[in-house]
Amino acid sequence: MSGKSDITTKNSAGVSSAVGGSGATGTTGTVNTNNPTNMFSKEPPINTSDKVGDSKIEKKEKEEEKKTVHSSSSNDVGEGNTNKSTPVIDPSQPGYSYLNNDGIDSLQPLARKKQVSNLSLSDQWNSSVALSGMNSTKSSSTNLKNSGSRVSFGAGSSNRSSRRPSLSMRFKKNIIDHERVASYAFAFDIDGVIVRGPDTIPEAKEALKMLNGQNKYNIKVPYIFVTNGGGRPEEARAKDLSQRLGIEVTPEQIIQGHTPMKDLIDVYKNVLVVGGVGDACRKVAIDYGFKNVYIPLDIMYWNPSVAPYHTLTEEEKKVVRKDVDFSKISIDAILVFADSRDWATDQQIILDLLLSKKGVMGTRSETFDEGPGLYFAHSDFVWATNYKLSRYGMGALQVSIAALYREHTGKELVVTRFGKPQRGTFKYANKVLSAWRKDVLEDHVEKLTPENEEEELEIDPKNRPVFGASDSESEDEDGDEALTVQKLSQLTLDLPPASTVYFVGDTPESDIRFANSHDESWHSILVKTGVYKDGAIPKYKPKHICENVLEAVKYAIEREHKKELEEWNSGAIDVAPGSQEGQSHVNRLETIAATPANEKPSFIV
Ligand code: G3P
Ligand code: MG
């Protein structure tokens, strides 16, 4: 990932120190326990003015929403975070929500700067190749490569010497069903959407097979998974999902709560990693590149009296580090990677370090502001498992630790949060999704490009194809470098942003807030297979509510096909492709393409 930006770290007392880092940073929040969360609230309706690039369909939907916002029974329940009431920041005041104290609700989602085409990514690619008159000879591609020039594909070039003009001509259609890669994409939450603990939600299998192309429109839709869960490597999570769903899921499609914490490896030398089973999280942290990784079990082995109620089992003794004297080690940061399996001991040790001098066990700071920074992979107060009622999650642990810290010091605990709904994790997810979309397009183009064609194409640097008028990825807010597509003799192309990203989640506080808070092109869908229960009015309003992930996929595919067909036909000729008139259109275009720019095509007398 590119774009180094400063990471500000704050220790438990909020004392900050700026250190270098990369894109994804956690958000720092103060803590209070009064009224941790009130998941559901009666909110005033929203104003839904049309935005740049809204297709007819989106405009129609907004009209509908205006009419239906209050009827909790309807599936479309308004848009964006309607929780615009001013957050209560004084912990002693009623309504103060600890898990809502980091200002996310005052964030405005990024508006799309330019219209993005709803035509499939591969069709935009094909028309760009066709219209750019590309011919390939080995040398020119290497020249292009070395010259580092960029090509953005889409809206056609000035030069008319095109090789396959017919490819860019469109005939009106009632349905678009040729094999292609969508310009829209999906991002899925996992717990409560795809799985419930050990159980796989049955509709998930069919839903993902549909996105892999098994649908009546033969469209392949790129998708990633953004979970607040963790405690194992992304590879293991991908393998588990592949087995459960009977499809191939790769680690490149997986973001867990702690994945963006990879960016802290150059910031901290000695870290205490908390949560998960045994030393699983230590292994993940070491894989990420953290140097000295300790776990609470190591401290309990060093001095069992630290945790009077927990005697190490033989199993646990097998995974502890036996050579560490924690009275001589300064823990620089505490990273809570996954849900704690022993709240009592983990809280005791975390508080010991927060109240210590420079993170040395057995010491106590007079000012309680010399402890290490405390980082959480996420802030979910509850999550859905195979038990009928939701279970407390890492957010609840944050509340508990903050209550102990406040009771002990009278101070507010400052923590740094990762995971949904944080903006740092959103940026991270956006980059992972763009890279995955590129891979999916590459595989598609490769599959469709006959071997010999690869060699024939020639690149003409003067008339570069342009990929739709849309702004390319390179224009995202933190100015990260553009994403490229290597294909067809080393041609490098900018990839336009996804026309829409459908985010399917089960928890309004993390998933819907995540999808609504950062980018208007993200479309939040709330399902009823997890934390959210039918009939309740979610505090963070999704763009759509439906029974399960399969319905969510069907809803989006139909919605997008309508938009794609609308745009396809808006630039198409209304004659039957095989008809005589159709053929004459093709011939005329071929003639235009073959006619030198300064000459009149032969059919113009
Ligand atoms: O511990 C993870 C849980 O809180 C939620 O996971 O997949 O729903 O984001 P997920
Ligand atoms: Mg979930």
Side-chain angles (χ1 to χ4, degrees):
M1 296 291 159
S2 56
K4 295 268 170 238
S5 58
D6 278 345
I7 288 184
T8 51
T9 61
K10 285 198 175 170
N11 74 2
S12 53
V15 179
S16 67
S17 52
V19 289
S22 73
T25 55
T27 308
T28 303
T30 55
V31 176
N32 177 290
T33 60
N34 277 10
N35 161 5
T37 64
N38 52 1
M39 304 272 286
F40 306 109
S41 62
K42 302 254 168 306
E43 294 293 341
I46 53 173
N47 58 0
T48 54
S49 54
D50 291 344
K51 301 216 169 38
V52 169
D54 279 355
S55 68
K56 266 204 232 100
I57 291 151
E58 283 153 333
K59 289 189 184 114
K60 200 158 127 293
E61 280 175 355
K62 293 212 170 91
E63 287 314 309
E64 294 303 310
E65 275 160 24
K66 279 189 195 144
K67 289 195 227 90
T68 62
V69 80
H70 272 307
S71 53
S72 64
S73 59
S74 75
N75 279 346
D76 287 355
V77 290
E79 181 188 292
N81 293 350
T82 56
N83 172 39
K84 288 291 172 250
S85 54
T86 43
V88 182
I89 49 172
D90 174 354
S92 61
Q93 294 311 306
Y96 173 76
S97 158
Y98 144 78
L99 293 174
N100 186 16
N101 64 5
D102 43 28
I104 290 188
D105 290 344
S106 51
L107 289 175
Q108 283 310 314
L110 275 184
R112 174 73 13 106
K113 296 189 205 75
K114 289 187 203 132
Q115 175 114 6
V116 170
S117 170
N118 292 306
L119 295 180
S120 74
L121 206 53
S122 45
D123 284 344
Q124 294 180 49
W125 153 272
N126 288 333
S127 65
S128 68
V129 170
L131 289 169
S132 70
M134 279 189 249
N135 313 319
S136 82
T137 55
K138 268 248 164 284
S139 61
S140 69
S141 57
T142 36
N143 303 349
L144 182 71
K145 188 98 194 88
N146 304 343
S147 63
S149 57
R150 288 213 172 290
V151 177
S152 305
F153 56 104
S157 69
S158 56
N159 178 317
R160 267 184 295 153
S161 61
S162 148
R163 240 179 91 77
R164 284 178 301 221
S166 56
L167 259 183
S168 61
M169 182 198 303
R170 296 202 292 267
F171 291 95
K172 271 213 179 341
K173 286 175 183 260
N174 302 324
I175 179 173
I176 306 176
D177 56 5
H178 58 278
E179 239 190 90
R180 61 203 187 290
V181 174
S183 61
Y184 62 99
F186 263 81
F188 292 103
D189 171 44
I190 294 181
D191 291 305
V193 172
I194 308 289
V195 304
R196 281 184 71 110
D199 307 339
T200 305
I201 293 173
E203 294 81 4
K205 283 193 177 139
E206 193 186 341
L208 293 172
K209 287 200 173 74
M210 274 187 87
L211 293 183
N212 287 347
Q214 293 178 26
N215 55 71
K216 62 181 173 189
Y217 304 120
N218 287 316
I219 194 161
K220 196 174 168 53
V221 184
Y223 55 86
I224 61 170
F225 299 89
V226 187
T227 173
N228 277 350
R232 50 184 152 162
E234 285 71 20
E235 292 72 17
R237 174 79 69 165
K239 196 152 159 272
D240 172 54
L241 284 177
S242 302
Q243 276 151 4
R244 284 177 182 246
L245 300 166
I247 55 169
E248 193 215 351
V249 176
T250 72
E252 287 72 36
Q253 291 171 278
I254 304 280
I255 299 169
Q256 303 187 103
H258 47 63
T259 310
M261 285 191 183
K262 283 180 187 169
D263 295 317
L264 298 172
I265 55 173
D266 310 329
V267 182
Y268 297 115
K269 190 161 133 284
N270 301 334
V271 294
L272 179 79
V273 171
V274 178
V277 179
D279 68 342
C281 287
R282 186 204 316 268
K283 293 191 178 108
V284 174
I286 290 171
D287 285 356
Y288 283 172
F290 285 98
K291 299 173 195 55
N292 303 329
V293 183
Y294 306 103
I295 57 176
L297 293 175
D298 299 342
I299 294 176
M300 293 152 71
Y301 181 84
W302 163 71
N303 184 339
S305 58
V306 166
Y309 308 123
H310 182 137
T311 307
L312 288 181
T313 62
E314 289 316 310
E315 252 340 272
E316 288 168 336
K317 282 183 185 153
K318 286 193 194 116
V319 299
V320 299
R321 286 193 51 179
K322 299 184 174 60
D323 59 345
V324 187
D325 177 351
F326 286 93
S327 66
K328 297 195 174 42
I329 296 267
S330 174
I331 298 293
D332 305 321
I334 304 166
L335 311 178
V336 183
F337 264 34
D339 290 339
S340 164
R341 270 41 175 197
D342 175 356
W343 278 44
T345 307
D346 287 345
Q347 289 190 88
Q348 177 64 68
I349 290 173
I350 289 174
L351 265 292
D352 278 335
L353 290 168
L354 291 177
L355 305 178
S356 71
K357 282 185 188 316
K358 301 212 168 320
V360 179
M361 282 298 290
T363 65
R364 192 56 101 224
S365 159
E366 280 81 45
T367 53
F368 302 132
D369 60 1
E370 303 169 72
L374 178 55
Y375 295 77
F376 286 93
H378 70 87
S379 312
D380 289 354
F381 188 62
V382 293
W383 65 300
T385 68
N386 55 346
Y387 182 65
K388 68 180 189 320
L389 299 175
S390 301
R391 305 290 76 191
Y392 282 137
M394 195 184 286
L397 179 69
Q398 282 187 42
V399 171
S400 175
I401 291 171
L404 292 167
Y405 184 84
R406 218 156 78 84
E407 197 63 28
H408 199 125
T409 67
K411 291 182 176 190
E412 293 302 305
L413 176 65
V414 174
V415 301
T416 301
R417 295 181 179 132
F418 286 79
K420 300 167 290 182
Q422 305 302 336
R423 181 155 283 194
T425 293
F426 178 84
K427 284 185 187 166
Y428 201 96
N430 235 349
K431 288 200 176 88
V432 167
L433 180 59
S434 307
W436 183 248
R437 291 175 63 235
K438 182 191 97 162
D439 295 351
V440 173
L441 177 63
E442 281 183 357
D443 294 350
H444 172 82
V445 170
E446 196 155 289
K447 212 175 69 208
L448 291 189
T449 310
E451 273 310 307
N452 59 4
E453 176 103 356
E454 271 276 336
E455 295 318 309
E456 270 165 36
L457 270 183
E458 180 179 316
I459 299 168
D460 167 359
K462 264 206 318 313
N463 56 7
R464 296 197 185 121
V466 177
F467 195 115
S470 62
D471 55 316
S472 79
E473 304 273 343
S474 57
E475 288 181 15
D476 70 7
E477 70 188 277
D478 49 14
D480 283 341
E481 69 195 58
L483 264 166
T484 60
V485 171
Q486 308 288 98
K487 242 322 122 227
L488 293 176
S489 323
Q490 302 303 322
L491 179 67
T492 54
L493 289 174
D494 287 346
L495 204 65
S499 54
T500 307
V501 179
Y502 291 90
F503 188 83
V504 186
D506 70 305
T507 309
E509 255 59 22
S510 61
D511 302 318
I512 304 308
R513 206 162 162 214
F514 180 69
N516 289 353
S517 302
H518 307 298
D519 188 315
E520 279 176 6
S521 67
W522 283 53
H523 193 98
S524 52
I525 302 179
L526 183 61
V527 293
K528 305 172 184 176
T529 47
V531 169
Y532 171 70
K533 295 287 174 273
D534 194 7
I537 297 183
K539 183 172 176 190
Y540 297 93
K541 303 262 184 286
K543 298 260 174 66
H544 184 67
I545 294 186
C546 57
E547 293 304 317
N548 56 52
V549 63
L550 180 56
E551 282 205 7
V553 166
K554 287 179 178 169
Y555 155 80
I557 287 184
E558 287 306 326
R559 184 172 182 268
E560 288 295 328
H561 182 261
K562 277 204 204 96
K563 293 200 281 180
E564 185 186 8
L565 191 60
E566 186 188 314
E567 184 172 337
W568 177 281
N569 287 338
S570 67
I573 50 177
D574 198 357
V575 295
S579 66
Q580 202 191 353
E581 199 186 351
Q583 195 45 50
S584 72
H585 272 284
V586 172
N587 301 345
R588 263 205 288 212
L589 202 68
E590 298 274 358
T591 317
I592 293 170
T595 311
N598 55 1
E599 288 173 25
K600 260 198 285 179
S602 55
F603 56 78
I604 298 178
V605 289

